[in-house]
Amino acid sequence: MKASGYPFGCNSRDGVVMNNGEKSQGRGFRRRQPILAVLRHLGATVYPLQVTEAFRATQGRVVPGSAFDRITSIEGLKAAWGTVLAKDAADGELRRQTIDVIGRLDEFIADLSKDLREGSYMPEPVHRFTIPKKIVGESRELQVPTVRDKIVEHAVIESIGPAADRVQSSCSFAYRQGIGVPDAVQRIAALREEGYRFVLRADIHDCFSNISIDDSLATLYRAMTCERTIDLIYLIASPRRRRVRCRSRGIAQGSCLSPLLANLALTDVDIAMSDAGFAYVRYADDAVVCTPREDELLDALDLFTELVRSRGLTVNEEKTMLTSFDEEFCYLGVDFSRSRPNCDPHHHVKPDVNPDHVLYIGRDGACVRVSKERLIVEGVDLLPHVSIPRRAVNRIVLTGSVGLSAGARSWALYNDVDVLCLSRRGTYLGQLAGPRSTANAQRLLRQAEFAADVEARMPLARSLIRAKMRNQVHVLHRIGRRDRNVNVGKTCQKIRSSMEDLFDAASIDEIFGIEGAASSAYFACLAGLVPEGVSFPFRSRRPPKDMANAAFSYGYAILLGECTAALFAAGLEPSLGVLHASTDKRPSLSLDLMEEFRPLLVDRTVVSLLRSHRLRPEHASPSDDGKGVWLNREGKKALVDGYEATLQRRVKGALPGFSGTWRRHIHHSAQLLGRAIMERDYEWMGVSWR
């Protein structure tokens, strides 16, 4: 089969089983397995005695700052109670259980926290009832937990939700913060515009009732390793009845935790389909695969069926169909055809009350001055004047021999406008930045103390590189799906393996070694995705050897300035690094911050410009010494236009509870990085693909 080669039956506890029967060297599911072992031994479990005993057996000291500590804290449970109360109120009535809790809230929360921490907590039997489906004569059984158990479930979601979201695939659109049906519809419409004509619609039969909790927790363990939290989730998610034997598989429909567990259980399916090069979209148990050629549909169906079967699930043949946009089909309540729905190229771009305005000036001999609240650019023929009302420009980027008058300098400092300086080649030289109100001596002293503590830096250093690798995989999935001659799947597997190796890295040098090997594989794959007329054999810098490398270097220089400005705004010193060593010669912390944004903002933009021929070989010129290549004026303009379009894209859900342009995400991520430096218990995770 053309799309084979992905390891069926992938399980993080046992390593990856290849088609040839060999076993890869994965990190494994490194945890005690009291609950898992008990359930495997018992088979059909009599709930709740055995599971509860296993849960109690795992109890020990609550680690401050751990996920379990956040879940079982008084503050975490009260916040979860607020969510439960709001949902009950939205239904128009307060349940009797809810009213009882309101009457003794403080005592109830304290007792619940104590039971959880001491290991005496035991979920209560669920309330079962049926509701009719849209199809006449069919019904769906719901299993609704009690208010007490709902509070625990919501506390778990609030604690692990962001971490769990980052191990999920960008192909999944259901039950995730910030994205939903409109985003899935636009993704399919965009695939149609890219030339994908043929469609596989697939449905998983009785998905929730047959999902293995083991698969869900194995995926979750890649994002967080708190054993008590894993055991608690297993306890509250296991099927339960009063004095009745029940099956060990399946998750309850009606539990707020079940959608998250379902997504986690199907994450490896999403990854496998993307690794195989298919344009794939999944919303809950409904999946769509788009292909440019009809003969690839059967390959996609075979792969999807095998992947689903390896997880104990089956494809619903009645709801599975091979079709095309010519024949029209319905998905998520939307009728798709060759022209409907319209593909909105600005679906993710929304006008902002205060949009980002960045002024780029890159012509040698130009000079910037201020006159009567206007920025005037002089010294170059035919260059228009630029009108800038107060606070209309956030940043000025000067490339090459561009002058800045004393008045313009004072105006920029007074109005908190950053002036970024780049060389002709695009090398970051420095920037002019005014004092930030958020900076203070105690913050800088704490940052310096953290930078000097190598042991304290290690967890954050690992997280920074993991975020970069995670985004590298997403970028390869997105831009490499149509190039069947490039083994994107093999490269992604190698990068994911490197992500697992990071857990065992004992020093910063080992982290850099793992990152270097992963980046080499990543850029080697990118080299196969650029057009034939573009020379890009490998990543080269100082100097770049070809036009593609010159574009990468120029983009990274601009991004470095963005990150430096964001760190200044967050009250951090850019020279005090976490991953990169602190030095006076470079903004080390800026290099740390930009790691996760390199693939998303620069790599994706450059490759897209190359593949669309908006960036061509004639947009580069050899250096004066003939040893390197740099972008000429037209090349810089093409890259800047593409880069700004990317940064002006408004995204939702990339950071928990935050939405805005990618530029705003850089600033918000800098604030979170500062929090990770200042607060020892804060777990930094970075942005996720959107």
Side-chain angles (χ1 to χ4, degrees), residues 319-374:
K319 297 183 178 180
T320 299
M321 59 184 295
L322 304 179
T323 183
S324 69
F325 289 105
D326 297 328
E327 299 175 6
E328 302 189 4
F329 64 95
C330 182
Y331 182 66
L332 301 179
V334 178
D335 292 326
F336 288 87
S337 68
R338 295 186 64 179
S339 58
R340 302 192 311 270
N342 294 328
C343 179
D344 181 9
H346 305 291
H347 171 65
H348 300 285
V349 181
K350 187 181 295 183
D352 202 324
V353 177
N354 297 306
D356 299 318
H357 290 285
V358 183
L359 178 62
Y360 289 86
I361 305 172
R363 298 190 183 184
D364 289 345
C367 181
V368 183
R369 64 181 181 88
V370 175
S371 176
K372 298 180 180 180
E373 296 300 321
R374 296 180 57 165

Side-chain angles (χ1 to χ4, degrees), residues 63 194 483 507 577 643 662:
V63 180
E194 292 179 21
D483 294 81
S507 66
Y643 175 82
W662 273 120

Side-chain angles (χ1 to χ4, degrees), residues 53-175:
E53 290 178 348
F55 176 65
R56 291 172 177 171
T58 67
Q59 305 312 298
R61 183 178 62 89
V62 178
V63 180
S66 64
F68 189 81
D69 183 37
R70 296 193 298 270
I71 293 169
T72 60
S73 66
I74 300 294
E75 296 77 11
L77 293 174
K78 281 189 175 181
W81 156 249
T83 303
V84 174
L85 181 62
K87 291 190 174 185
D88 279 349
D91 293 337
E93 63 181 36
L94 294 179
R95 299 183 179 182
R96 185 183 65 182
Q97 296 177 9
T98 307
I99 296 175
D100 292 340
V101 173
I102 294 176
R104 56 185 189 95
L105 179 60
D106 292 339
E107 180 186 358
F108 178 86
I109 296 296
D111 291 342
L112 181 57
S113 176
K114 180 181 177 183
D115 290 343
L116 287 165
R117 290 176 176 252
E118 293 181 351
S120 58
Y121 167 79
M122 183 178 69
E124 299 171 349
V126 296
H127 175 58
R128 299 173 180 268
F129 60 94
T130 59
I131 60 173
K133 291 185 177 180
K134 294 181 179 180
I135 302 176
V136 179
E138 295 188 9
S139 61
R140 175 181 288 109
E141 183 185 66
L142 297 183
Q143 305 169 35
V144 181
T146 62
V147 170
R148 176 173 173 264
D149 296 335
K150 280 185 178 181
I151 294 174
V152 178
E153 290 183 358
H154 279 286
V156 170
I157 291 176
E158 288 297 321
S159 178
I160 72 168
D165 190 73
R166 278 152 179 77
V167 297
Q168 298 180 52
S169 169
S170 61
C171 304
S172 174
F173 290 86
Y175 317 128

